[in-house]
Amino acid sequence: MQDCIFCKIVKGEVPCDKVHEDEDILVFRDINPQAPVHLLIIPKKHYNSIVDMTETDAALAGHMVNTAARLAVASGVAGKGFRLVTNSGSEGGQTVPHMHFHVLGGRQLSGELG
Amino acid sequence: MQDCIFCKIVKGEVPCDKVHEDEDILVFRDINPQAPVHLLIIPKKHYNSIVDMTETDAALAGHMVNTAARLAVASGVAGKGFRLVTNSGSEGGQTVPHMHFHVLGGRQLSGELG
């Protein structure tokens, strides 16, 4: 995806504050954090949103969820608590059309989920 | 988990408005919906939160994410958009200590993630 900002980050054409990288995913800090810890977990392969990930991609989705939990622990927010979110489409509040999970922690989050 | 309300729902001891069930997961409508579509996706096996799911459970977590997307499509909210959320711990806003994903859709969700 030539014009996708997250694909450019994956390719190293746009910088990021990297937290984790492996063969399939990249994790970096959100540039407009909504909480003391606000990570973005993205697949290196472009998917518009989770709707475009099929059962074939379930292992990748599961790896992202598991990495989210491990990084919440490593960031020191897992004890008190954190939230994992992915938005799909405009009513979901998705702003970058490259599938990503948000990990938010480090403060009391609202019981309102959106 | 003897006193876990979601384990009781899995065992059929407490009723739910069931949307989907397979060998590993159960999906039902939230009794206090925050959006026109508000589903809860739970593993039948008890995990306190995603922190307790390891890489061994990644296939299960991925299946839950994939099922969320498929049910968002089936519920007619995927076109306009929806949100997938899991909370862990008190600061994350978790209220039932049995791991679950929320699927919210059918209205414009806030850009504030908590």
mmCIF file of all heavy atoms in Angstrom, chain A residues 34 51 53-55 58 62-63 66 70 80-84 86-88 90-92 107-111 113-114, chain B residues 34 51 53-55 58 62-63 66 70 80-88 90-92 107-111 113-114:
data_model
loop_
_atom_site.group_PDB
_atom_site.id
_atom_site.type_symbol
_atom_site.label_atom_id
_atom_site.label_comp_id
_atom_site.label_asym_id
_atom_site.label_seq_id
_atom_site.Cartn_x
_atom_site.Cartn_y
_atom_site.Cartn_z
ATOM 1 N N GLN A 34 -3.165 8.554 24.423
ATOM 2 C CA GLN A 34 -4.353 8.819 25.237
ATOM 3 C C GLN A 34 -4.167 8.313 26.666
ATOM 4 O O GLN A 34 -5.082 8.414 27.485
ATOM 5 C CB GLN A 34 -5.588 8.164 24.610
ATOM 6 C CG GLN A 34 -5.985 8.765 23.264
ATOM 7 C CD GLN A 34 -7.334 8.255 22.775
ATOM 8 O OE1 GLN A 34 -8.168 7.816 23.562
ATOM 9 N NE2 GLN A 34 -7.559 8.296 21.474
ATOM 10 N N VAL A 51 -11.619 -6.893 9.664
ATOM 11 C CA VAL A 51 -12.586 -7.508 8.751
ATOM 12 C C VAL A 51 -11.864 -8.199 7.592
ATOM 13 O O VAL A 51 -12.341 -9.202 7.058
ATOM 14 C CB VAL A 51 -13.598 -6.462 8.228
ATOM 15 C CG1 VAL A 51 -14.505 -7.068 7.168
ATOM 16 C CG2 VAL A 51 -14.435 -5.924 9.381
ATOM 17 N N MET A 53 -9.004 -9.696 7.837
ATOM 18 C CA MET A 53 -8.224 -10.845 8.307
ATOM 19 C C MET A 53 -9.178 -12.029 8.397
ATOM 20 O O MET A 53 -10.216 -11.948 9.037
ATOM 21 C CB MET A 53 -7.597 -10.551 9.679
ATOM 22 C CG MET A 53 -6.638 -9.369 9.638
ATOM 23 S SD MET A 53 -5.856 -9.028 11.255
ATOM 24 C CE MET A 53 -4.562 -10.281 11.276
ATOM 25 N N THR A 54 -8.827 -13.123 7.741
ATOM 26 C CA THR A 54 -9.682 -14.303 7.725
ATOM 27 C C THR A 54 -9.209 -15.312 8.767
ATOM 28 O O THR A 54 -8.240 -15.068 9.486
ATOM 29 C CB THR A 54 -9.662 -14.964 6.332
ATOM 30 O OG1 THR A 54 -8.351 -15.504 6.125
ATOM 31 C CG2 THR A 54 -9.973 -13.953 5.241
ATOM 32 N N GLU A 55 -9.880 -16.460 8.826
ATOM 33 C CA GLU A 55 -9.478 -17.512 9.769
ATOM 34 C C GLU A 55 -8.034 -17.949 9.491
ATOM 35 O O GLU A 55 -7.320 -18.357 10.407
ATOM 36 C CB GLU A 55 -10.454 -18.690 9.685
ATOM 37 C CG GLU A 55 -10.356 -19.702 10.817
ATOM 38 C CD GLU A 55 -10.874 -19.213 12.195
ATOM 39 O OE1 GLU A 55 -11.805 -18.399 12.237
ATOM 40 O OE2 GLU A 55 -10.305 -19.645 13.221
ATOM 41 N N ALA A 58 -5.734 -16.112 11.661
ATOM 42 C CA ALA A 58 -6.041 -16.172 13.091
ATOM 43 C C ALA A 58 -4.779 -16.312 13.940
ATOM 44 O O ALA A 58 -4.690 -15.727 15.029
ATOM 45 C CB ALA A 58 -7.017 -17.314 13.383
ATOM 46 N N GLY A 62 -3.855 -13.783 16.851
ATOM 47 C CA GLY A 62 -3.583 -14.292 18.192
ATOM 48 C C GLY A 62 -2.209 -13.900 18.691
ATOM 49 O O GLY A 62 -2.032 -13.571 19.870
ATOM 50 N N HIS A 63 -1.245 -13.890 17.813
ATOM 51 C CA HIS A 63 0.110 -13.472 18.178
ATOM 52 C C HIS A 63 0.113 -11.993 18.577
ATOM 53 O O HIS A 63 0.806 -11.596 19.522
ATOM 54 C CB HIS A 63 1.056 -13.726 17.001
ATOM 55 C CG HIS A 63 2.454 -13.236 17.219
ATOM 56 N ND1 HIS A 63 3.204 -13.582 18.321
ATOM 57 C CD2 HIS A 63 3.237 -12.399 16.486
ATOM 58 C CE1 HIS A 63 4.391 -12.997 18.240
ATOM 59 N NE2 HIS A 63 4.427 -12.264 17.148
ATOM 60 N N ASN A 66 -1.464 -11.807 22.066
ATOM 61 C CA ASN A 66 -0.524 -12.311 23.067
ATOM 62 C C ASN A 66 0.620 -11.323 23.295
ATOM 63 O O ASN A 66 1.021 -11.077 24.441
ATOM 64 C CB ASN A 66 0.035 -13.667 22.608
ATOM 65 C CG ASN A 66 0.922 -14.284 23.664
ATOM 66 O OD1 ASN A 66 2.136 -14.319 23.540
ATOM 67 N ND2 ASN A 66 0.324 -14.742 24.752
ATOM 68 N N ARG A 70 1.909 -9.429 26.750
ATOM 69 C CA ARG A 70 3.303 -9.501 27.212
ATOM 70 C C ARG A 70 3.900 -8.095 27.359
ATOM 71 O O ARG A 70 4.639 -7.808 28.294
ATOM 72 C CB ARG A 70 4.159 -10.315 26.234
ATOM 73 C CG ARG A 70 3.724 -11.789 26.029
ATOM 74 C CD ARG A 70 3.962 -12.693 27.234
ATOM 75 N NE ARG A 70 3.015 -12.523 28.312
ATOM 76 C CZ ARG A 70 1.746 -12.972 28.331
ATOM 77 N NH1 ARG A 70 1.259 -13.644 27.314
ATOM 78 N NH2 ARG A 70 0.961 -12.748 29.367
ATOM 79 N N LYS A 80 -2.113 -3.162 37.476
ATOM 80 C CA LYS A 80 -3.297 -2.336 37.730
ATOM 81 C C LYS A 80 -4.351 -2.490 36.642
ATOM 82 O O LYS A 80 -5.545 -2.378 36.903
ATOM 83 C CB LYS A 80 -2.889 -0.867 37.869
ATOM 84 C CG LYS A 80 -2.147 -0.564 39.182
ATOM 85 C CD LYS A 80 -1.928 0.918 39.376
ATOM 86 C CE LYS A 80 -1.339 1.205 40.756
ATOM 87 N NZ LYS A 80 -1.006 2.649 40.910
ATOM 88 N N GLY A 81 -3.892 -2.701 35.412
ATOM 89 C CA GLY A 81 -4.855 -2.942 34.350
ATOM 90 C C GLY A 81 -4.589 -2.148 33.095
ATOM 91 O O GLY A 81 -3.905 -1.120 33.115
ATOM 92 N N PHE A 82 -5.147 -2.631 32.009
ATOM 93 C CA PHE A 82 -4.974 -1.988 30.700
ATOM 94 C C PHE A 82 -6.119 -2.409 29.795
ATOM 95 O O PHE A 82 -6.941 -3.257 30.158
ATOM 96 C CB PHE A 82 -3.619 -2.371 30.084
ATOM 97 C CG PHE A 82 -3.494 -3.830 29.752
ATOM 98 C CD1 PHE A 82 -3.683 -4.286 28.456
ATOM 99 C CD2 PHE A 82 -3.204 -4.771 30.740
ATOM 100 C CE1 PHE A 82 -3.593 -5.641 28.150
ATOM 101 C CE2 PHE A 82 -3.107 -6.125 30.444
ATOM 102 C CZ PHE A 82 -3.306 -6.547 29.149
ATOM 103 N N ARG A 83 -6.154 -1.786 28.622
ATOM 104 C CA ARG A 83 -7.211 -2.059 27.627
ATOM 105 C C ARG A 83 -6.574 -2.333 26.281
ATOM 106 O O ARG A 83 -5.619 -1.650 25.896
ATOM 107 C CB ARG A 83 -8.139 -0.837 27.548
ATOM 108 C CG ARG A 83 -9.248 -0.932 26.496
ATOM 109 C CD ARG A 83 -10.288 0.168 26.720
ATOM 110 N NE ARG A 83 -10.996 -0.084 27.983
ATOM 111 C CZ ARG A 83 -11.734 0.810 28.630
ATOM 112 N NH1 ARG A 83 -11.876 2.032 28.128
ATOM 113 N NH2 ARG A 83 -12.334 0.497 29.760
ATOM 114 N N LEU A 84 -7.122 -3.299 25.572
ATOM 115 C CA LEU A 84 -6.708 -3.626 24.203
ATOM 116 C C LEU A 84 -7.882 -3.320 23.290
ATOM 117 O O LEU A 84 -9.005 -3.780 23.537
ATOM 118 C CB LEU A 84 -6.346 -5.114 24.123
ATOM 119 C CG LEU A 84 -5.920 -5.666 22.769
ATOM 120 C CD1 LEU A 84 -4.591 -5.074 22.328
ATOM 121 C CD2 LEU A 84 -5.818 -7.192 22.825
ATOM 122 N N THR A 86 -9.205 -2.593 19.041
ATOM 123 C CA THR A 86 -9.003 -2.344 17.614
ATOM 124 C C THR A 86 -10.288 -1.787 17.027
ATOM 125 O O THR A 86 -11.388 -2.264 17.332
ATOM 126 C CB THR A 86 -8.506 -3.582 16.834
ATOM 127 O OG1 THR A 86 -8.244 -3.187 15.475
ATOM 128 C CG2 THR A 86 -9.500 -4.728 16.825
ATOM 129 N N ASN A 87 -10.145 -0.731 16.252
ATOM 130 C CA ASN A 87 -11.275 -0.063 15.609
ATOM 131 C C ASN A 87 -11.315 -0.462 14.145
ATOM 132 O O ASN A 87 -10.278 -0.615 13.504
ATOM 133 C CB ASN A 87 -11.114 1.454 15.713
ATOM 134 C CG ASN A 87 -11.020 1.930 17.149
ATOM 135 O OD1 ASN A 87 -11.683 1.386 18.025
ATOM 136 N ND2 ASN A 87 -10.174 2.922 17.397
ATOM 137 N N SER A 88 -12.534 -0.603 13.620
ATOM 138 C CA SER A 88 -12.699 -0.915 12.201
ATOM 139 C C SER A 88 -13.734 0.032 11.618
ATOM 140 O O SER A 88 -14.861 0.096 12.109
ATOM 141 C CB SER A 88 -13.165 -2.370 12.047
ATOM 142 O OG SER A 88 -13.382 -2.680 10.683
ATOM 143 N N SER A 90 -15.260 3.884 10.030
ATOM 144 C CA SER A 90 -15.421 5.240 10.580
ATOM 145 C C SER A 90 -16.239 5.251 11.863
ATOM 146 O O SER A 90 -15.878 5.930 12.826
ATOM 147 C CB SER A 90 -16.033 6.168 9.527
ATOM 148 O OG SER A 90 -17.294 5.691 9.119
ATOM 149 N N GLU A 91 -17.344 4.503 11.927
ATOM 150 C CA GLU A 91 -18.130 4.490 13.171
ATOM 151 C C GLU A 91 -17.375 3.815 14.314
ATOM 152 O O GLU A 91 -17.680 4.032 15.483
ATOM 153 C CB GLU A 91 -19.501 3.819 12.963
ATOM 154 C CG GLU A 91 -20.495 4.745 12.270
ATOM 155 C CD GLU A 91 -21.953 4.309 12.426
ATOM 156 O OE1 GLU A 91 -22.245 3.230 12.995
ATOM 157 O OE2 GLU A 91 -22.816 5.064 11.963
ATOM 158 N N GLY A 92 -16.386 3.003 13.975
ATOM 159 C CA GLY A 92 -15.543 2.392 15.003
ATOM 160 C C GLY A 92 -14.457 3.328 15.501
ATOM 161 O O GLY A 92 -13.790 3.040 16.492
ATOM 162 N N ARG A 107 -3.291 4.596 33.645
ATOM 163 C CA ARG A 107 -4.251 5.466 34.336
ATOM 164 C C ARG A 107 -5.582 4.710 34.414
ATOM 165 O O ARG A 107 -5.780 3.710 33.710
ATOM 166 C CB ARG A 107 -4.438 6.806 33.619
ATOM 167 C CG ARG A 107 -5.102 6.728 32.258
ATOM 168 C CD ARG A 107 -5.516 8.123 31.758
ATOM 169 N NE ARG A 107 -5.977 8.125 30.380
ATOM 170 C CZ ARG A 107 -7.202 7.809 29.973
ATOM 171 N NH1 ARG A 107 -8.107 7.395 30.853
ATOM 172 N NH2 ARG A 107 -7.532 7.859 28.699
ATOM 173 N N GLN A 108 -6.495 5.207 35.240
ATOM 174 C CA GLN A 108 -7.815 4.582 35.301
ATOM 175 C C GLN A 108 -8.567 4.874 33.998
ATOM 176 O O GLN A 108 -8.801 6.032 33.662
ATOM 177 C CB GLN A 108 -8.618 5.143 36.484
ATOM 178 C CG GLN A 108 -10.036 4.558 36.602
ATOM 179 C CD GLN A 108 -10.047 3.053 36.837
ATOM 180 O OE1 GLN A 108 -9.427 2.563 37.771
ATOM 181 N NE2 GLN A 108 -10.757 2.306 35.997
ATOM 182 N N LEU A 109 -8.929 3.834 33.270
ATOM 183 C CA LEU A 109 -9.688 4.008 32.025
ATOM 184 C C LEU A 109 -11.175 3.992 32.332
ATOM 185 O O LEU A 109 -11.624 3.378 33.305
ATOM 186 C CB LEU A 109 -9.317 2.905 31.037
ATOM 187 C CG LEU A 109 -7.837 2.896 30.613
ATOM 188 C CD1 LEU A 109 -7.504 1.636 29.844
ATOM 189 C CD2 LEU A 109 -7.510 4.125 29.764
ATOM 190 N N SER A 110 -11.929 4.664 31.485
ATOM 191 C CA SER A 110 -13.374 4.778 31.671
ATOM 192 C C SER A 110 -14.070 3.449 31.421
ATOM 193 O O SER A 110 -13.620 2.634 30.618
ATOM 194 C CB SER A 110 -13.908 5.834 30.695
ATOM 195 O OG SER A 110 -15.315 5.763 30.626
ATOM 196 N N GLY A 111 -15.193 3.254 32.075
ATOM 197 C CA GLY A 111 -16.030 2.094 31.798
ATOM 198 C C GLY A 111 -16.807 2.261 30.497
ATOM 199 O O GLY A 111 -17.363 1.305 29.971
ATOM 200 N N LEU A 113 -16.906 2.379 26.751
ATOM 201 C CA LEU A 113 -16.005 1.789 25.760
ATOM 202 C C LEU A 113 -16.055 2.541 24.425
ATOM 203 O O LEU A 113 -15.510 2.080 23.439
ATOM 204 C CB LEU A 113 -16.344 0.315 25.558
ATOM 205 C CG LEU A 113 -16.297 -0.518 26.847
ATOM 206 C CD1 LEU A 113 -16.673 -1.973 26.556
ATOM 207 C CD2 LEU A 113 -14.932 -0.444 27.516
ATOM 208 N N GLY A 114 -16.726 3.673 24.406
ATOM 209 C CA GLY A 114 -16.774 4.463 23.180
ATOM 210 C C GLY A 114 -18.125 5.118 22.982
ATOM 211 O O GLY A 114 -18.394 5.601 21.895
ATOM 212 N N GLN B 34 -23.844 -0.968 25.494
ATOM 213 C CA GLN B 34 -23.388 0.409 25.334
ATOM 214 C C GLN B 34 -23.545 0.874 23.888
ATOM 215 O O GLN B 34 -23.177 2.002 23.551
ATOM 216 C CB GLN B 34 -21.921 0.536 25.750
ATOM 217 C CG GLN B 34 -21.684 0.293 27.234
ATOM 218 C CD GLN B 34 -20.263 0.642 27.669
ATOM 219 O OE1 GLN B 34 -19.581 1.423 27.030
ATOM 220 N NE2 GLN B 34 -19.823 0.066 28.773
ATOM 221 N N VAL B 51 -3.969 -11.535 30.073
ATOM 222 C CA VAL B 51 -2.639 -11.730 30.661
ATOM 223 C C VAL B 51 -2.409 -13.214 30.964
ATOM 224 O O VAL B 51 -1.283 -13.703 30.916
ATOM 225 C CB VAL B 51 -2.468 -10.869 31.930
ATOM 226 C CG1 VAL B 51 -1.154 -11.186 32.635
ATOM 227 C CG2 VAL B 51 -2.520 -9.385 31.579
ATOM 228 N N MET B 53 -3.537 -15.662 29.164
ATOM 229 C CA MET B 53 -3.462 -16.454 27.935
ATOM 230 C C MET B 53 -2.026 -16.355 27.413
ATOM 231 O O MET B 53 -1.503 -15.259 27.250
ATOM 232 C CB MET B 53 -4.445 -15.920 26.888
ATOM 233 C CG MET B 53 -5.891 -15.985 27.360
ATOM 234 S SD MET B 53 -7.085 -15.392 26.105
ATOM 235 C CE MET B 53 -7.185 -16.825 25.024
ATOM 236 N N THR B 54 -1.418 -17.495 27.190
ATOM 237 C CA THR B 54 -0.025 -17.509 26.735
ATOM 238 C C THR B 54 0.030 -17.703 25.222
ATOM 239 O O THR B 54 -1.003 -17.808 24.553
ATOM 240 C CB THR B 54 0.748 -18.646 27.427
ATOM 241 O OG1 THR B 54 0.218 -19.882 26.943
ATOM 242 C CG2 THR B 54 0.586 -18.574 28.936
ATOM 243 N N GLU B 55 1.239 -17.787 24.694
ATOM 244 C CA GLU B 55 1.395 -18.013 23.244
ATOM 245 C C GLU B 55 0.730 -19.332 22.838
ATOM 246 O O GLU B 55 0.253 -19.458 21.714
ATOM 247 C CB GLU B 55 2.888 -17.984 22.875
ATOM 248 C CG GLU B 55 3.189 -17.870 21.379
ATOM 249 C CD GLU B 55 2.880 -16.507 20.732
ATOM 250 O OE1 GLU B 55 2.981 -15.480 21.415
ATOM 251 O OE2 GLU B 55 2.514 -16.488 19.533
ATOM 252 N N ALA B 58 -2.651 -18.687 21.632
ATOM 253 C CA ALA B 58 -2.758 -17.679 20.569
ATOM 254 C C ALA B 58 -3.794 -18.080 19.513
ATOM 255 O O ALA B 58 -4.519 -17.222 18.994
ATOM 256 C CB ALA B 58 -1.398 -17.424 19.926
ATOM 257 N N GLY B 62 -6.842 -15.768 18.500
ATOM 258 C CA GLY B 62 -7.046 -15.405 17.095
ATOM 259 C C GLY B 62 -8.411 -15.810 16.596
ATOM 260 O O GLY B 62 -9.058 -15.072 15.829
ATOM 261 N N HIS B 63 -8.881 -16.967 17.023
ATOM 262 C CA HIS B 63 -10.228 -17.430 16.649
ATOM 263 C C HIS B 63 -11.288 -16.481 17.203
ATOM 264 O O HIS B 63 -12.288 -16.194 16.537
ATOM 265 C CB HIS B 63 -10.428 -18.858 17.168
ATOM 266 C CG HIS B 63 -11.794 -19.402 16.933
ATOM 267 N ND1 HIS B 63 -12.399 -19.413 15.690
ATOM 268 C CD2 HIS B 63 -12.708 -19.948 17.792
ATOM 269 C CE1 HIS B 63 -13.614 -19.938 15.792
ATOM 270 N NE2 HIS B 63 -13.824 -20.269 17.057
ATOM 271 N N ASN B 66 -11.184 -13.321 15.037
ATOM 272 C CA ASN B 66 -11.774 -13.605 13.729
ATOM 273 C C ASN B 66 -13.293 -13.731 13.831
ATOM 274 O O ASN B 66 -14.036 -13.204 12.986
ATOM 275 C CB ASN B 66 -11.166 -14.890 13.148
ATOM 276 C CG ASN B 66 -11.672 -15.149 11.740
ATOM 277 O OD1 ASN B 66 -12.484 -16.031 11.509
ATOM 278 N ND2 ASN B 66 -11.225 -14.339 10.794
ATOM 279 N N ARG B 70 -16.330 -11.646 11.937
ATOM 280 C CA ARG B 70 -17.395 -12.323 11.182
ATOM 281 C C ARG B 70 -18.773 -11.948 11.743
ATOM 282 O O ARG B 70 -19.723 -11.748 10.997
ATOM 283 C CB ARG B 70 -17.213 -13.850 11.232
ATOM 284 C CG ARG B 70 -15.908 -14.389 10.651
ATOM 285 C CD ARG B 70 -15.798 -14.279 9.131
ATOM 286 N NE ARG B 70 -15.503 -12.948 8.667
ATOM 287 C CZ ARG B 70 -14.297 -12.343 8.700
ATOM 288 N NH1 ARG B 70 -13.272 -12.939 9.221
ATOM 289 N NH2 ARG B 70 -14.144 -11.110 8.219
ATOM 290 N N LYS B 80 -20.279 0.259 8.337
ATOM 291 C CA LYS B 80 -20.046 1.588 8.930
ATOM 292 C C LYS B 80 -18.914 1.564 9.954
ATOM 293 O O LYS B 80 -18.211 2.544 10.118
ATOM 294 C CB LYS B 80 -21.328 2.114 9.572
ATOM 295 C CG LYS B 80 -22.386 2.529 8.534
ATOM 296 C CD LYS B 80 -23.574 3.208 9.180
ATOM 297 C CE LYS B 80 -24.529 3.769 8.139
ATOM 298 N NZ LYS B 80 -25.751 4.348 8.758
ATOM 299 N N GLY B 81 -18.795 0.453 10.654
ATOM 300 C CA GLY B 81 -17.672 0.338 11.582
ATOM 301 C C GLY B 81 -18.064 -0.170 12.950
ATOM 302 O O GLY B 81 -19.228 -0.100 13.360
ATOM 303 N N PHE B 82 -17.082 -0.679 13.646
ATOM 304 C CA PHE B 82 -17.295 -1.236 14.979
ATOM 305 C C PHE B 82 -15.967 -1.227 15.740
ATOM 306 O O PHE B 82 -14.911 -0.898 15.175
ATOM 307 C CB PHE B 82 -17.850 -2.672 14.894
ATOM 308 C CG PHE B 82 -16.902 -3.651 14.267
ATOM 309 C CD1 PHE B 82 -16.116 -4.490 15.042
ATOM 310 C CD2 PHE B 82 -16.769 -3.732 12.888
ATOM 311 C CE1 PHE B 82 -15.224 -5.389 14.470
ATOM 312 C CE2 PHE B 82 -15.873 -4.622 12.298
ATOM 313 C CZ PHE B 82 -15.103 -5.446 13.087
ATOM 314 N N ARG B 83 -16.050 -1.585 16.998
ATOM 315 C CA ARG B 83 -14.870 -1.599 17.876
ATOM 316 C C ARG B 83 -14.789 -2.937 18.605
ATOM 317 O O ARG B 83 -15.816 -3.465 19.051
ATOM 318 C CB ARG B 83 -14.970 -0.448 18.887
ATOM 319 C CG ARG B 83 -13.860 -0.387 19.934
ATOM 320 C CD ARG B 83 -13.882 0.948 20.669
ATOM 321 N NE ARG B 83 -13.550 2.033 19.735
ATOM 322 C CZ ARG B 83 -13.774 3.326 19.950
ATOM 323 N NH1 ARG B 83 -14.345 3.719 21.074
ATOM 324 N NH2 ARG B 83 -13.445 4.217 19.043
ATOM 325 N N LEU B 84 -13.580 -3.455 18.732
ATOM 326 C CA LEU B 84 -13.312 -4.683 19.486
ATOM 327 C C LEU B 84 -12.436 -4.301 20.672
ATOM 328 O O LEU B 84 -11.410 -3.645 20.494
ATOM 329 C CB LEU B 84 -12.577 -5.685 18.590
ATOM 330 C CG LEU B 84 -12.183 -7.026 19.201
ATOM 331 C CD1 LEU B 84 -13.408 -7.865 19.519
ATOM 332 C CD2 LEU B 84 -11.262 -7.790 18.244
ATOM 333 N N VAL B 85 -12.851 -4.693 21.875
ATOM 334 C CA VAL B 85 -12.169 -4.266 23.108
ATOM 335 C C VAL B 85 -12.040 -5.440 24.063
ATOM 336 O O VAL B 85 -12.984 -6.223 24.221
ATOM 337 C CB VAL B 85 -12.996 -3.174 23.844
ATOM 338 C CG1 VAL B 85 -12.296 -2.744 25.132
ATOM 339 C CG2 VAL B 85 -13.290 -1.980 22.958
ATOM 340 N N THR B 86 -10.888 -5.558 24.718
ATOM 341 C CA THR B 86 -10.831 -6.401 25.905
ATOM 342 C C THR B 86 -10.132 -5.630 27.024
ATOM 343 O O THR B 86 -9.122 -4.966 26.791
ATOM 344 C CB THR B 86 -10.169 -7.775 25.658
ATOM 345 O OG1 THR B 86 -10.266 -8.566 26.866
ATOM 346 C CG2 THR B 86 -8.719 -7.690 25.255
ATOM 347 N N ASN B 87 -10.718 -5.672 28.187
ATOM 348 C CA ASN B 87 -10.189 -4.985 29.360
ATOM 349 C C ASN B 87 -9.529 -5.997 30.272
ATOM 350 O O ASN B 87 -10.014 -7.120 30.426
ATOM 351 C CB ASN B 87 -11.318 -4.284 30.122
ATOM 352 C CG ASN B 87 -12.062 -3.282 29.261
ATOM 353 O OD1 ASN B 87 -11.450 -2.599 28.431
ATOM 354 N ND2 ASN B 87 -13.372 -3.191 29.436
ATOM 355 N N SER B 88 -8.444 -5.581 30.905
ATOM 356 C CA SER B 88 -7.748 -6.441 31.857
ATOM 357 C C SER B 88 -7.477 -5.648 33.121
ATOM 358 O O SER B 88 -6.841 -4.586 33.071
ATOM 359 C CB SER B 88 -6.427 -6.928 31.239
ATOM 360 O OG SER B 88 -5.724 -7.733 32.166
ATOM 361 N N SER B 90 -8.491 -3.713 36.990
ATOM 362 C CA SER B 90 -9.404 -2.626 37.394
ATOM 363 C C SER B 90 -9.151 -1.335 36.627
ATOM 364 O O SER B 90 -10.098 -0.678 36.182
ATOM 365 C CB SER B 90 -9.316 -2.389 38.907
ATOM 366 O OG SER B 90 -8.000 -2.020 39.259
ATOM 367 N N GLU B 91 -7.893 -0.950 36.409
ATOM 368 C CA GLU B 91 -7.655 0.282 35.646
ATOM 369 C C GLU B 91 -8.040 0.127 34.172
ATOM 370 O O GLU B 91 -8.266 1.120 33.482
ATOM 371 C CB GLU B 91 -6.190 0.739 35.772
ATOM 372 C CG GLU B 91 -5.911 1.448 37.094
ATOM 373 C CD GLU B 91 -4.633 2.276 37.098
ATOM 374 O OE1 GLU B 91 -3.878 2.278 36.103
ATOM 375 O OE2 GLU B 91 -4.387 2.929 38.120
ATOM 376 N N GLY B 92 -8.115 -1.101 33.712
ATOM 377 C CA GLY B 92 -8.584 -1.346 32.351
ATOM 378 C C GLY B 92 -10.100 -1.315 32.237
ATOM 379 O O GLY B 92 -10.644 -1.309 31.136
ATOM 380 N N ARG B 107 -23.535 2.554 16.118
ATOM 381 C CA ARG B 107 -23.583 4.011 16.328
ATOM 382 C C ARG B 107 -22.155 4.544 16.186
ATOM 383 O O ARG B 107 -21.186 3.772 16.189
ATOM 384 C CB ARG B 107 -24.148 4.367 17.704
ATOM 385 C CG ARG B 107 -23.293 3.963 18.890
ATOM 386 C CD ARG B 107 -23.788 4.606 20.183
ATOM 387 N NE ARG B 107 -23.117 4.116 21.371
ATOM 388 C CZ ARG B 107 -21.928 4.534 21.824
ATOM 389 N NH1 ARG B 107 -21.257 5.452 21.152
ATOM 390 N NH2 ARG B 107 -21.401 4.038 22.918
ATOM 391 N N GLN B 108 -22.040 5.875 16.053
ATOM 392 C CA GLN B 108 -20.710 6.473 15.990
ATOM 393 C C GLN B 108 -20.034 6.351 17.348
ATOM 394 O O GLN B 108 -20.547 6.880 18.340
ATOM 395 C CB GLN B 108 -20.799 7.954 15.586
ATOM 396 C CG GLN B 108 -19.445 8.665 15.510
ATOM 397 C CD GLN B 108 -18.521 8.068 14.451
ATOM 398 O OE1 GLN B 108 -18.901 7.963 13.291
ATOM 399 N NE2 GLN B 108 -17.323 7.661 14.841
ATOM 400 N N LEU B 109 -18.929 5.646 17.391
ATOM 401 C CA LEU B 109 -18.182 5.501 18.644
ATOM 402 C C LEU B 109 -17.187 6.655 18.778
ATOM 403 O O LEU B 109 -16.718 7.210 17.786
ATOM 404 C CB LEU B 109 -17.464 4.152 18.669
ATOM 405 C CG LEU B 109 -18.404 2.938 18.624
ATOM 406 C CD1 LEU B 109 -17.628 1.646 18.387
ATOM 407 C CD2 LEU B 109 -19.221 2.834 19.904
ATOM 408 N N SER B 110 -16.876 6.984 20.018
ATOM 409 C CA SER B 110 -15.965 8.090 20.311
ATOM 410 C C SER B 110 -14.534 7.757 19.910
ATOM 411 O O SER B 110 -14.129 6.589 19.945
ATOM 412 C CB SER B 110 -16.023 8.387 21.807
ATOM 413 O OG SER B 110 -14.960 9.217 22.183
ATOM 414 N N GLY B 111 -13.779 8.778 19.577
ATOM 415 C CA GLY B 111 -12.348 8.593 19.327
ATOM 416 C C GLY B 111 -11.575 8.416 20.630
ATOM 417 O O GLY B 111 -10.416 8.002 20.625
ATOM 418 N N LEU B 113 -10.619 6.372 23.628
ATOM 419 C CA LEU B 113 -10.621 4.925 23.824
ATOM 420 C C LEU B 113 -10.724 4.545 25.294
ATOM 421 O O LEU B 113 -10.578 3.393 25.657
ATOM 422 C CB LEU B 113 -9.360 4.319 23.192
ATOM 423 C CG LEU B 113 -9.191 4.623 21.692
ATOM 424 C CD1 LEU B 113 -7.917 4.003 21.163
ATOM 425 C CD2 LEU B 113 -10.398 4.154 20.894
ATOM 426 N N GLY B 114 -10.972 5.539 26.151
ATOM 427 C CA GLY B 114 -11.144 5.227 27.562
ATOM 428 C C GLY B 114 -10.544 6.298 28.458
ATOM 429 O O GLY B 114 -10.403 6.057 29.647
#
